[in-house]
Amino acid sequence: MLILGELLLLCTDTEHPKILITGGLGQLGVGLAKLLRRKFGKNNVILSDIRKPPNHVYHDGPFIFSDILDSKNLREIVVNNNISWLIHYSAVLSAVGENNVALAKEVNITGLHNILDIATDHGLRVFVPSTIGAFGPSSPRNPTPELCVQRPRTIYGVSKVHAELMGEYYHHRYGLDFRCLRYPGIISANSNPGGGTTDYAVQIFHTAVKTGCFECNLRSDTLLPMMYIDDCLRATLEFMEAPADSLLSRTYNISAMSFTPHDLVQEMQKVLPELKVTYNVDPVLQAIADGWPMVLEDIAARRDWGWKHEFDLSELVQTMLTHITTSNQRAQAN
C-alpha cells in the first residue's frame, strides 16, 4: 500500500510535462535542459541532437540521437517517450546560413514542417525560437515593435518569419499550442558561438581573458539587442508555463538591453583596463547587423505573461568575466 507521500510524488511526476529538446547541443539546449530538469525532474527532459555529446551531457540526464529531417524517427521518439512539450532548437544560424543556403533551407524550413506536423498530430505544446534576424532593413529599428514590416534579407531571417507564420497558421487552423519568442543576441560563458552575427559579444570575453586583445568584426557603433543566457532560459520556461488564455499573441519580442561594441568594451575595461580592441569589419556580417533592430520593444511580453529581465550590461560583464576566469583557472589546475 502506498503512503500519502508516495502518492503525492506519483501525482507530481504525472503532472510534469515530458519534454524533448531538438538541436540540444547548441548554445541554449544544454542550459535549458538543466533548468527544466531542476523544475520537472531529470528523466522528464530528453536532450537530442545529431552529434555525439560530451560525457557530462550523458551523465546529466537522458540524451538520444534525433534528426529533425527524419520525420518517422522523430515521431517514434515522441510516441515512445510520451512527449508533451517539444522545444525546437535545431537551426542553421545567420552567418552559417549565408554560406550554405541549401542546408539552411533544409534544416530551418523542412525540419520545421516535420516538427509542426508531429506536434499537431500528437497534441504537443511546441516552442520554436525566432530572432531579431526576422526583421529587415525596412523594419523600424529603434524601437522595433511586435508587429511591423519584417522582410529580412538572410535565409535565416526568412526561415524564421516562415516559422512564425506557419506556427500561427497551425494554431488557428488546427489548434496547435504554438509558442515563439524573438530572441535578441544571447550571451553565454558556457557555450561556443554558433555562427551568428552577434557572436562577437561572446567571443570578446573569452579572447579578452586569454590574450588581453580582441579584433571585432562589426563597427564600433553597431547597436544591437542583447540578453544574458540566464534571462533567456528563464523567459523560455516562464513563457512555456504561461496559461494559453493569457497569450494574446503566439509570437513575442523579448529584450533586456541594447549596446554597441564600444559600449561593451568600455564596460569591460572597468575590470580589464589593459584590454585592447581593434576593428576589422566583415562586410557580410555588418550588412546583416545593419538590417536588424537596434532596440527591441517587448511591451506585450511584459504585459501578457509578466516577462522581466534581471541582467543589465554591468551585471552581464561582471558575470561573464567571473565565469570565464574561474573556468580557466580550473582548467589550468587540472
Side-chain angles (χ1 to χ4, degrees):
M1 180 180 240
L2 293 173
I3 61 173
L4 179 60
E6 291 172 323
L7 284 170
L8 289 173
L9 182 59
L10 285 174
C11 290
T12 302
D13 285 344
T14 56
E15 288 169 1
H16 286 332
K18 194 70 179 288
I19 304 166
L20 174 67
I21 301 174
T22 69
L25 297 183
Q27 184 185 19
L28 301 176
V30 173
L32 184 64
K34 288 181 180 179
L35 179 65
L36 294 174
R37 284 166 177 161
R38 285 199 299 268
K39 175 94 176 180
F40 300 124
K42 177 177 178 178
N43 293 322
N44 286 322
V45 181
I46 301 174
L47 203 60
S48 73
D49 209 302
I50 60 173
R51 294 176 289 150
K52 182 180 178 181
N55 287 334
H56 72 86
V57 172
Y58 276 124
H59 297 315
D60 288 345
F63 179 91
I64 59 175
F65 173 90
S66 174
D67 182 354
I68 61 165
L69 298 177
D70 185 345
S71 179
K72 183 175 182 293
N73 171 252
L74 192 60
R75 194 176 293 271
E76 288 175 350
I77 291 168
V78 167
V79 171
N80 290 344
N81 294 282
N82 193 28
I83 298 300
S84 52
W85 287 10
L86 203 163
I87 312 290
H88 179 49
Y89 274 153
S90 296
V92 175
L93 302 185
S94 56
V96 174
E98 291 308 287
N99 290 322
N100 195 337
V101 173
L103 177 65
K105 287 193 299 181
E106 192 173 26
V107 173
N108 295 0
I109 296 177
T110 303
L112 169 80
H113 294 173
N114 290 338
I115 293 292
L116 293 178
D117 287 340
I118 291 167
T120 300
D121 290 346
H122 296 286
L124 310 185
R125 178 173 297 181
V126 61
F127 175 80
V128 178
S130 188
T131 166
I132 54 175
F135 298 99
S138 55
S139 306
R141 297 187 65 210
N142 191 4
T144 302
E146 203 97 42
L147 296 175
C148 64
V149 172
Q150 292 184 254
R151 304 193 70 81
R153 292 185 179 173
T154 66
I155 186 59
Y156 177 59
V158 169
S159 70
K160 287 303 185 180
V161 173
H162 177 78
E164 294 176 13
L165 295 176
M166 286 294 289
E168 290 190 14
Y169 174 77
Y170 270 64
H171 171 67
H172 292 296
R173 179 71 173 80
Y174 303 114
L176 175 65
D177 190 354
F178 171 83
R179 304 183 182 210
C180 177
L181 295 177
R182 294 187 186 120
Y183 288 157
I186 305 302
I187 301 174
S188 165
N190 295 323
S191 55
N192 294 321
T197 303
T198 57
D199 281 355
Y200 87 88
V202 177
Q203 293 165 338
I204 189 172
F205 287 99
H206 292 278
T207 307
V209 170
K210 187 175 181 180
T211 70
C213 302
F214 182 70
E215 182 179 271
C216 183
N217 52 23
L218 294 179
R219 284 195 323 267
S220 65
D221 62 349
T222 305
L223 183 66
L224 291 168
M226 301 284 187
M227 180 179 289
Y228 184 57
I229 190 169
D230 285 12
D231 274 344
C232 172
L233 300 179
R234 181 173 54 81
T236 304
L237 172 57
E238 291 175 0
F239 183 49
M240 287 297 285
E241 288 190 301
D245 59 6
S246 71
L247 304 180
L248 302 184
S249 175
R250 288 286 143 177
T251 299
Y252 286 88
N253 293 349
I254 55 166
S255 190
M257 67 193 94
S258 288
F259 56 77
T260 67
H262 177 72
D263 296 332
L264 179 57
V265 170
Q266 281 197 316
E267 193 65 36
M268 291 179 68
Q269 285 174 335
K270 294 177 183 178
V271 183
L272 301 172
E274 303 302 317
L275 173 62
K276 299 289 190 297
V277 176
T278 57
Y279 294 88
N280 182 16
V281 175
D282 182 320
V284 174
L285 292 180
Q286 189 64 53
I288 293 172
D290 287 344
W292 284 2
M294 296 177 176
V295 176
L296 201 58
E297 185 178 271
D298 62 356
I299 295 170
R302 295 174 187 269
R303 176 197 66 211
D304 292 356
W305 47 277
W307 162 241
K308 185 178 181 181
H309 71 277
E310 293 181 354
F311 287 82
D312 60 17
L313 179 56
S314 62
E315 291 168 324
L316 165 72
V317 168
Q318 291 286 347
T319 303
M320 285 288 290
L321 289 176
T322 299
H323 273 304
I324 291 169
T325 302
T326 303
S327 296
N328 289 352
Q329 289 171 346
R330 286 175 182 164
Q332 290 171 1
N334 293 332

